[in-house]
Amino acid sequence: MRILHTSDWHIGHNLYGKSRYEEFEAFFDWLIDCIDRERIEALIVSGDIFDTTNPSNRSLEIYYRFLWRLSETDCRYAIITGGNHDSPSLLNAPKEILRCMDLHIFGAVTDEISDHIVVLNNAEGNPGAVVCAVPYLRDRDIRRYKPGQDAEEKGLELIAAIGEFYRRIADEAEKTVEKSGYDLPVIATGHLFAAGGMTTEGDGVRDIYVGKLSAFSPSGFPDTFDYVALGHLHMPQKSGKEHIRYSGAPLPIGFCEAKRRKSVVVADFSSGKTPVIEEITVPCFMPLYSLQGDSAEITDKLRDLIFAAEKCCVEIIYVGRASAVEVNRRFTDMVKDTPVDILRIKNLQIARDSEASCDSCITLEDLDENEVFRRCLAVNDVSEEDYGELLSAYGEILAEIHEGDHNAE
Ligand SMILES: [Mn+2]
């Protein structure tokens, strides 16, 4: 059984307002080719299918077109699980019809743990592997509300509940293996932040645990699992052990990821329960460049890019004394009618000066919602002692906004 593991597609993501539909289409063309070439028999997608809980119709079209094309390949199964960016009810809406094509959707956890077990048959029609399909586990799905708990207690309880869920599903998988009469490999999925995971600033990974002190330890995954296909972190990485992995996002989610290699993972179980694991590099469909320097340096770099005549997106970090208006005009005039698209110009000098004097030159784009709230606390003379409670309450509100399944009814 050959399995391809990917996650964090974030279909519909835009980069500073620039839509990326062509990149998504190019990625799915490549993925279909890759699935053919690698003779993949099952596809696992570990959450964050869409970038928002309310994706555009174009995003939906790209997703369904991909699923249809997948059904035309020799890949017999897809296991698609929800992430913290997804609307569970949106993913689940076409669940029944997709199941007819052996495309199995898990928007959120259900009360019945056996619903989350999928037996994959091999080419001969015999059981070949068992998948424990676990989507992003929301606090309200797996933990009972108790009044009066602080953020840390809630966080620790949530982590314990996640561990308990994996233990229960591992037991269920073992029963399924026993019933099958074969010595089957067990594969689990997850969309969570495993302790020790790597992120970079600006890579679009949104905090999911309100109590920041806790993260799920990869040693909490039962030994029953022969492979754990994780999503949530956008950099490809192992989590403690060889067989517990984040595939990472296939497209860079921000300029900070411009030079990072993107990949998907192939896990091959043809020689037994220990998989042979291989990372396959995803090509870059739209080069991103972050150019930093004074006017002359940036002008040179832009000239090189224009000369190369390759479609690309650029972020400019300008260090110098010229006014923002002048800088913007100079560089946007330069790239006019060329394949170079400037998405963002940041004036580092003005930003530095303003930190020392006034805030008027920092735009909202430079701050995330947590930073805005911290500034609001400071302006309102809230004492630092009260920050903790207020920040965690604010975190809960943000989680409700980001993760609320607003069209569920
Ligand atoms: Mn993600």
Side-chain angles (χ1 to χ4, degrees):
M1 183 70 68
R2 280 173 70 76
I3 287 164
L4 191 143
H5 159 210
T6 169
S7 75
D8 296 270
W9 291 347
H10 288 269
I11 306 171
H13 180 259
N14 67 64
L15 208 53
Y16 297 101
K18 185 186 169 70
S19 75
R20 311 181 72 183
Y21 294 119
E22 284 174 22
E23 280 176 86
F24 286 108
E25 282 164 344
F27 165 64
F28 288 124
D29 284 348
W30 174 83
L31 188 58
I32 290 288
D33 280 351
C34 176
I35 284 167
D36 270 335
R37 193 175 56 240
E38 294 291 327
R39 292 167 286 104
I40 299 301
E41 299 170 83
L43 171 73
I44 292 180
V45 193
S46 306
D48 285 356
I49 312 304
F50 295 104
D51 191 50
T52 65
T53 53
N54 191 16
S56 68
N57 291 348
R58 175 115 186 238
S59 301
L60 291 169
E61 187 187 339
I62 289 172
Y63 171 62
Y64 287 115
R65 178 177 286 273
F66 167 73
L67 293 183
W68 165 71
R69 290 179 70 193
L70 181 70
S71 72
E72 302 273 287
T73 67
D74 291 337
C75 177
R76 295 188 296 279
Y77 299 93
I79 311 290
I80 296 173
T81 60
N84 59 313
H85 281 250
D86 292 307
S87 153
S89 63
L90 179 121
L91 288 184
N92 280 344
K95 192 181 163 105
E96 316 298 339
I97 191 164
L98 293 178
R99 195 186 291 143
C100 304
M101 298 152 85
D102 263 323
L103 308 172
H104 300 265
I105 312 292
F106 301 88
V109 281
T110 63
D111 295 335
E112 193 52 62
I113 203 132
S114 58
D115 290 349
H116 293 268
I117 303 275
V118 184
V119 176
L120 307 180
N121 287 344
N122 59 25
E124 290 78 46
N126 299 318
V130 173
V131 178
C132 302
V134 184
Y136 170 52
L137 299 170
R138 285 171 169 74
D139 188 52
R140 60 175 174 273
D141 295 337
I142 54 165
R143 195 180 69 89
R144 194 167 296 160
Y145 171 77
K146 290 185 201 146
Q149 284 184 318
D150 67 19
E152 195 181 340
E153 286 166 332
K154 282 183 201 167
L156 291 173
E157 266 196 19
L158 174 62
I159 297 303
I162 293 172
E164 176 58 25
F165 189 89
Y166 277 102
R167 264 190 303 280
R168 280 171 56 214
I169 202 163
D171 288 347
E172 194 65 31
E174 281 176 14
K175 280 187 223 154
T176 307
V177 170
E178 212 176 286
K179 245 187 270 167
S180 77
Y182 293 88
D183 191 20
L184 302 176
V186 178
I187 299 148
T189 77
H191 191 91
L192 48 78
F193 195 122
M198 287 180 293
T199 57
T200 51
E201 208 184 320
D203 69 357
V205 176
R206 195 191 283 155
D207 284 339
I208 45 176
Y209 303 131
V210 174
K212 290 252 185 69
L213 301 169
S214 42
F216 186 72
S217 166
S219 61
F221 291 115
D223 291 337
T224 312
F225 303 144
D226 300 295
Y227 184 77
V228 183
L230 294 176
H232 185 54
L233 301 186
H234 291 173
M235 260 192 243
Q237 58 197 280
K238 290 174 207 166
S239 185
K241 289 178 185 160
E242 190 66 22
H243 70 286
I244 305 178
R245 288 191 184 232
Y246 286 95
S247 61
L251 302 188
I253 301 296
F255 280 100
C256 63
E257 290 196 292
K259 291 205 178 98
R260 283 187 203 285
R261 196 176 68 86
K262 294 295 179 185
S263 49
V264 297
V265 184
V266 173
D268 186 322
F269 291 92
S270 46
S271 53
K273 294 210 302 184
T274 305
V276 176
I277 297 171
E278 190 194 348
E279 283 185 7
I280 297 182
T281 302
V282 178
C284 173
F285 304 106
M286 173 65 82
L288 303 181
Y289 298 102
S290 184
L291 310 182
Q292 181 166 352
D294 61 19
S295 189
E297 286 167 319
I298 291 174
T299 303
D300 278 355
K301 288 174 187 166
L302 274 180
R303 210 170 271 147
D304 289 348
L305 289 178
I306 293 166
F307 184 72
E310 175 193 39
K311 246 188 172 184
C312 64
C313 291
V314 171
E315 162 192 70
I316 289 176
I317 301 173
Y318 170 71
V319 192
R321 287 279 160 197
S323 78
V325 179
E326 201 187 317
V327 168
N328 286 15
R329 197 181 40 227
R330 187 182 309 158
F331 297 136
T332 41
D333 279 354
M334 240 188 111
V335 300
K336 206 167 163 235
D337 301 323
T338 75
V340 179
D341 199 351
I342 299 176
L343 300 189
R344 178 182 193 226
I345 300 178
K346 191 172 175 177
N347 195 320
L348 212 56
Q349 197 61 51
I350 292 177
R352 273 185 202 145
D353 290 352
S354 63
E355 263 165 43
S357 55
C358 73
D359 275 353
S360 59
C361 298
I362 293 192
T363 63
L364 211 47
E365 205 176 67
D366 297 319
L367 306 171
D368 68 10
E369 57 260 39
N370 289 306
E371 189 53 38
V372 171
F373 188 66
R374 279 177 179 277
R375 282 169 184 244
C376 175
L377 294 179
V379 167
N380 286 286
D381 297 322
V382 176
S383 83
E384 299 241 346
E385 291 161 25
D386 298 330
Y387 270 37
E389 274 300 294
L390 286 169
L391 282 172
S392 76
Y394 181 71
E396 284 181 35
I397 295 166
L398 282 184
E400 177 52 35
I401 293 169
H402 290 315
E403 298 174 9
D405 202 0
H406 305 291
N407 284 328
E409 286 179 16

